Amino acid sequence: LTIVPAGGCVGTEVEVVVGGERIEPAEALLFSHPSLTARPKQDNGGKPVPNSFVVSIARDAPVGVHDATLVTALGISSARAFSVGSLPETSRTATNTSVKTATPMAVNSLCNANTTPQSIDHYRLELHRGQRIRVECAAIGIDSRLQPVIAIADAAGNDVAVERRNRPLDFTAEREGVCIVKVHDLAFRGGPAYFYRIIVSEPAAGDDSRHPTTRPVNTFSWPPSGLAARPTATETEPNDSPDAAQAITLPCDMGGVFLAAGDVDIFEFEATKGEVWWIEVASERLGAPTDPVAVLQRVVTENGVERLDDVAEFNDIANPLKPSSQFYSYDGPPYVTGSADILGKFEIKESGRHRLQLRDLFGGTRVEPLSEYRLVIRRAEPDFALVGWPLHMELRNGDRADLSKPFALRSGGTIAVEVVALRRDGFDGDIDLSIEGLPAGVTATGLRIPKDAARGIIALTAADGASTAPVPLTIVGRARVGEAEMCRPCRIASVAWPIRDHSAELPQPRLVSSPMLTASTTEPFPLAIRGTTAAPIEATVASTVKVPLTLTRRGKLLGTVTKLRIFGQGFDKAAAVDVPLSADTHDFPVDLGKLKIEPGRHTIVLYGAATVAYQQPTHGDKPAATVDIADIIVSEPIHLDVKPAADGGSPISPVPAPQGEKKS
């Protein structure tokens, strides 16, 4: 849950301590970039200090946020953010909750700390008259629970400027002397979970850079494949009135800023009847607090009078898969994968001059100089983007926890990876999912994302006795557009902090920069469900097939039954089936006729939930204890060969042809 301090400067070594709940004895600390390495810290006697490491940050380490994961006997933990910067860093070592005890800081430096409960942290600066500084508190975006409030005060502690919106404070000293920087949580919470990095710098003219952060989940869809790193054109002000509209030609790739309050950027172009274009705007996905909206109109001039005919309006990118709405019952993933940005199509109905108005829906009264956007108008380039996560628990009523699972496989077990696709520019084909570079003993079966659908599943299985050190996890999706094959990576989503009550605290989902996978024999999977044979099960179309299962229990399971559902193209609507937890075998019924399953090879995965009594590891003289944990149970993939009926036809009733039309 924590790494203290939460970062370091390039070319230095930093001693860090990892913290959390029920942490196993830590074996290693791994980072998502090879320029960061860690070794266990040792005491004067040469023995490892528990959960302490010395992190070496190479001189060529990229400045930014990297993922750190802890390795124990049970496998790999979820990822935590570790920041690498270029400024000298210190850590607060004494209480600084008053002006008198303020921690001295130098300009162009950074200090790591965590807020003090029901208090305000103070930092002391010596400034020259006319000296301009920028003060930033990095917390949101580096996996902290802190909602930062920063203030600049005079030497007596009287506030001069305050920022509560997670923005930097820009300040110019009016006189020579001392000023105080204050930091606290919006609700005055504090402790190890409320860590921050306070940065005081002298920015150069035009420098709007900020402390790097992790990426929100909905940024997985940006940028489109093949897009240049920088736009080829720039919005030119003033362009906020029809008389000052900026002329462009299609296709276009335009960079701009919603600069002033109520800013409207207007662009005009000539287009020909029958042309079809796709428009995409990125702004929220670039990190700006915006909600772009665009209106396209045809400009018609009759008898010297201008008339505007509406062509299209563009707003939010819809969620490819409806996210969870109830917070206590799994009716969708716990991640929002849509965006407030724009992605849409327009067709030119009549040739002539067209006007595009682009504005920030939230920008009517505020000035946000960092609200940049990128406008791309292109011919159709069918494509897709993928994001996935280990399947989340179907929670019981009243259980409102929100957490992420690492890819820590247990011997003999299977986890399901849920994958969501955002389709771009009209792409509607099948997407085949797979995992590349798996170690020995670990297999993966990708269930296809079918045409026009948004969700697919990958079953990731560790064989009995499989054990592997951490390896990179690479998930890809492949599809064809005409004769060309596309291969796109799948980003992985995670919750930055586990939430026990989703109704009381909103989670902070983010993308993981470099996911890892482990397999461990220390603790076998509690309930292994497999087909009785690896060979495909033969069935006839429209029949009810009994899928023979074997159940292997390796731990104490609470309850008598588990409800198993089916993943698989065409099988998702099948009703859940009760399977006794005490059984060694079970015939799982699948009604192929009711589901209208077509002839061919089909792959399914069964999944459900069970509560398992896990034994806690022993620490020192503490006796072993058990804890009841609800866990997802996933079967190994099962293959079905569905054959046509014996007479060569299909007993599934055909849809009757409309009257007056020939039946084909």
Side-chain angles (χ1 to χ4, degrees):
L1 298 181
T2 58
I3 302 177
V4 180
C9 180
V10 294
T12 64
E13 286 194 339
V14 184
E15 293 185 4
V16 302
V17 178
V18 296
E21 299 175 355
R22 298 192 293 269
I23 291 181
E24 308 299 318
E27 298 176 354
L29 185 64
L30 299 181
F31 294 92
S32 55
H33 197 278
S35 61
L36 281 73
T37 57
R39 65 181 186 274
K41 180 183 176 182
Q42 296 182 344
D43 60 19
N44 293 333
K47 295 182 179 179
V49 179
N51 300 329
S52 297
F53 297 88
V54 178
V55 178
S56 297
I57 307 172
R59 292 187 180 277
D60 60 349
V63 171
V65 178
H66 305 276
D67 281 335
T69 48
L70 198 64
V71 182
T72 75
L74 292 179
I76 202 163
S77 73
S78 51
R80 313 306 301 160
F82 187 84
S83 301
V84 173
S86 57
L87 294 177
E89 296 195 13
T90 59
S91 294
R92 186 193 63 195
T93 57
T95 302
N96 63 345
T97 55
S98 67
V99 172
K100 184 179 295 187
T101 60
T103 301
M105 273 193 74
V107 177
N108 294 319
S109 70
L110 181 153
C111 186
N112 293 279
N114 57 267
T115 52
T116 307
Q118 305 303 312
S119 299
I120 299 174
D121 295 345
H122 293 67
Y123 297 87
R124 174 189 174 97
L125 297 174
E126 295 278 354
L127 299 180
H128 304 298
R129 181 179 180 181
Q131 185 176 8
R132 178 188 170 219
I133 63 169
R134 184 167 61 200
V135 179
E136 182 179 2
C137 183
I140 297 174
I142 61 170
D143 291 352
S144 173
R145 299 181 73 178
L146 180 71
Q147 299 286 327
V149 176
I150 53 177
I152 295 178
D154 59 23
N158 301 308
D159 291 352
V160 177
V162 180
E163 177 57 62
R164 298 180 177 87
R165 300 171 301 165
N166 191 36
R167 294 283 182 270
L169 260 179
D170 201 288
F171 177 76
T172 301
E174 295 182 354
R175 59 181 60 88
E176 189 98 3
V178 172
C179 77
I180 301 296
V181 174
K182 300 178 179 180
V183 181
H184 66 85
D185 177 65
L186 187 63
F188 292 93
R189 300 169 298 178
Y194 300 90
F195 55 87
Y196 62 88
R197 289 160 62 81
I198 188 76
I199 306 107
V200 180
S201 61
E202 286 183 294
D207 178 11
D208 292 325
S209 61
R210 297 193 56 185
H211 188 285
T213 64
T214 58
R215 292 180 57 186
V217 173
N218 63 4
T219 63
F220 83 96
S221 59
W222 181 264
S225 178
L227 186 70
R230 304 295 302 172
T232 56
T234 304
E235 171 228 356
T236 303
E237 294 283 357
N239 62 349
D240 53 358
S241 68
D243 294 337
Q246 182 174 348
I248 61 174
T249 58
L250 303 189
C252 83
D253 182 359
M254 179 77 61
V257 179
F258 298 117
L259 188 57
D263 186 23
V264 180
D265 293 338
I266 301 178
F267 306 95
E268 287 191 351
F269 58 87
E270 296 287 337
T272 303
K273 180 179 179 179
E275 292 180 345
V276 177
W277 297 93
W278 285 82
I279 178 174
E280 185 163 8
V281 177
S283 184
E284 184 201 40
R285 291 175 292 173
L286 299 178
T290 55
D291 185 356
V293 61
V295 175
L296 179 64
Q297 297 168 311
R298 178 171 174 261
V299 182
V300 181
T301 302
E302 295 178 345
N303 300 322
V305 179
E306 185 177 275
R307 185 184 82 239
L308 298 177
D309 293 342
D310 291 343
V311 176
E313 181 176 346
F314 306 96
N315 210 318
D316 299 349
I317 299 174
N319 287 290
L321 196 65
K322 178 182 174 293
S324 178
S325 59
Q326 301 181 44
F327 304 146
Y328 61 84
S329 177
Y330 189 93
D331 65 341
Y335 299 112
V336 174
T337 49
S339 172
D341 286 342
I342 290 170
L343 176 60
K345 179 179 74 169
F346 62 89
E347 182 176 354
I348 303 300
K349 299 296 185 182
E350 297 291 339
S351 299
R353 183 160 54 107
H354 288 72
R355 182 176 296 162
L356 179 71
Q357 300 182 50
L358 181 63
R359 60 166 59 97
D360 172 19
L361 196 61
F362 293 156
T365 59
R366 67 183 184 179
V367 178
E368 290 282 359
L370 299 179
S371 297
E372 63 177 322
Y373 66 80
R374 188 161 176 183
L375 165 66
V376 179
I377 303 177
R378 58 180 178 258
R379 300 281 189 182
E381 298 176 8
D383 206 342
F384 62 93
L386 301 174
V387 64
W389 46 80
L391 185 69
H392 285 64
M393 174 60 61
E394 182 168 350
L395 301 176
R396 301 159 294 181
N397 287 347
D399 184 352
R400 301 182 181 186
D402 198 340
L403 51 86
S404 292
K405 285 189 156 191
F407 291 91
L409 286 165
R410 287 169 282 172
S411 173
T414 299
I415 63 174
V417 183
E418 191 169 36
V419 178
V420 170
L422 181 138
R423 297 175 180 271
R424 180 178 271 112
D425 296 11
F427 172 70
D428 62 355
D430 295 334
I431 302 172
D432 291 317
L433 303 173
S434 61
I435 299 183
E436 298 179 345
L438 288 174
V442 178
T443 57
T445 302
L447 305 190
R448 170 180 291 177
I449 301 178
K451 180 178 180 178
D452 295 328
R455 184 176 81 161
I457 295 292
I458 296 177
L460 194 56
T461 301
D464 291 335
S467 178
T468 180
V471 295
L473 183 70
T474 303
I475 300 177
V476 298
R478 288 184 170 84
R480 299 195 72 85
V481 175
E483 297 300 318
E485 181 182 78
M486 295 185 294
C487 180
R488 299 290 179 259
C490 175
R491 302 300 303 271
I492 298 299
S494 175
V495 174
W497 200 270
I499 303 300
R500 284 190 166 81
D501 187 350
H502 197 144
S503 65
E505 181 178 1
L506 292 177
Q508 301 175 38
R510 71 168 178 94
L511 294 178
V512 178
S513 59
S514 182
M516 306 287 284
L517 173 145
T518 57
S520 170
T521 58
T522 301
E523 183 180 78
F525 202 67
L527 177 62
I529 301 177
R530 301 184 174 101
T532 57
T533 175
I537 299 170
E538 294 187 357
T540 303
V541 70
S543 66
T544 296
V545 60
K546 296 290 184 69
V547 178
L549 304 176
T550 61
L551 289 77
T552 305
R553 294 171 298 282
R554 303 188 183 93
K556 181 180 179 182
L557 303 174
L558 307 183
T560 58
V561 298
T562 182
K563 289 184 176 294
L564 293 185
R565 292 178 171 83
I566 309 178
F567 281 132
Q569 184 176 347
F571 292 83
D572 290 3
K573 294 183 179 180
V577 174
D578 286 344
V579 175
L581 289 174
S582 59
D584 295 329
T585 60
H586 184 80
D587 289 336
F588 189 91
V590 181
D591 190 338
L592 302 176
K594 187 175 182 180
L595 298 174
K596 295 182 171 57
I597 301 300
E598 298 291 335
R601 171 69 60 83
H602 300 271
T603 301
I604 63 174
V605 171
L606 309 178
Y607 70 103
T611 301
V612 183
Y614 285 102
Q615 181 171 307
Q616 294 285 79
T618 57
H619 293 286
D621 298 330
K622 290 184 179 180
T626 59
V627 59
D628 296 341
I629 299 179
D631 208 345
I632 298 175
I633 304 298
V634 183
S635 79
E636 292 188 11
I638 298 168
H639 306 288
L640 300 177
D641 267 349
V642 180
K643 300 183 180 301
D647 60 1
S650 171
I652 299 177
S653 300
V655 177
Q659 291 185 358
E661 296 183 13
K662 292 183 179 180
K663 185 176 180 180
S664 61

